Amino acid sequence: MTLTERPAVLFVCVHNAGRSQMAAGYLAALAGDRVDVFSAGSEPGDQVNPTAVEVMAEEGIDIAGAAPRILTTDAVRQADVVITMGCGDACPVFPGKRYEDWDLTDPAGQPVDVVRGVRDDIRSRVEALIAEIAPRP
């Protein structure tokens, strides 16, 4: 796979309300303008999980204004890297894209301590991803 000068990353989970929103928040905050960040869901929820918003705010990252979005073929087409988080076979596959599946607990309905653990796992994965696709010059 060849990454563009400024790689685009798409995070996908079922509801686009927890895991994918936290991952997108971290990537945008930690990589800044070195990466284009998108997130979507195969069955988007009505709002971002309030507990996910709360635990990200503890990290100084505001995802309160984010809204769940439907996964489209165009979103996958524009991404260099597609990271799925439990969306099964809903994500279209295009040749030449990098695909990863992150096996993460779904934070929906979980207590805040569990959601913090998911958040911390996501942060470490995002940091590793940045080191691979958009290291500092």
Side-chain angles (χ1 to χ4, degrees):
M1 179 191 79
T2 303
L3 292 176
T4 59
E5 196 169 304
R6 181 167 148 166
V9 178
L10 172 64
F11 293 103
V12 183
C13 67
V14 175
H15 300 295
N16 189 220
R19 296 166 288 189
S20 57
Q21 293 286 355
M22 289 191 286
Y26 268 129
L27 185 57
L30 299 175
D33 63 1
R34 293 178 290 152
V35 177
D36 289 327
V37 183
F38 306 94
S39 69
S42 54
E43 299 172 26
D46 295 331
Q47 66 180 11
V48 175
N49 179 330
T51 308
V53 172
E54 176 186 339
V55 301
M56 290 301 286
E58 293 171 357
E59 295 282 294
I61 299 172
D62 182 7
I63 62 169
R69 295 181 182 191
I70 186 76
L71 176 64
T72 65
T73 301
D74 286 341
V76 177
R77 189 175 286 123
Q78 73 184 0
D80 296 298
V81 180
V82 179
I83 304 208
T84 58
M85 305 170 182
C87 67
D89 296 331
C91 193
V93 176
F94 291 99
K97 306 280 181 200
R98 173 178 168 177
Y99 290 88
E100 290 185 27
D101 184 58
W102 291 358
D103 186 16
L104 299 162
T105 299
D106 185 348
Q110 298 289 340
V112 70
D113 288 343
V114 171
V115 180
R116 282 186 187 116
V118 174
R119 174 202 65 198
D120 295 346
D121 188 2
I122 289 170
R123 181 181 181 126
S124 66
R125 292 171 188 247
V126 166
E127 288 172 338
L129 180 66
I130 292 168
E132 290 177 40
I133 67 167
R136 291 212 179 267

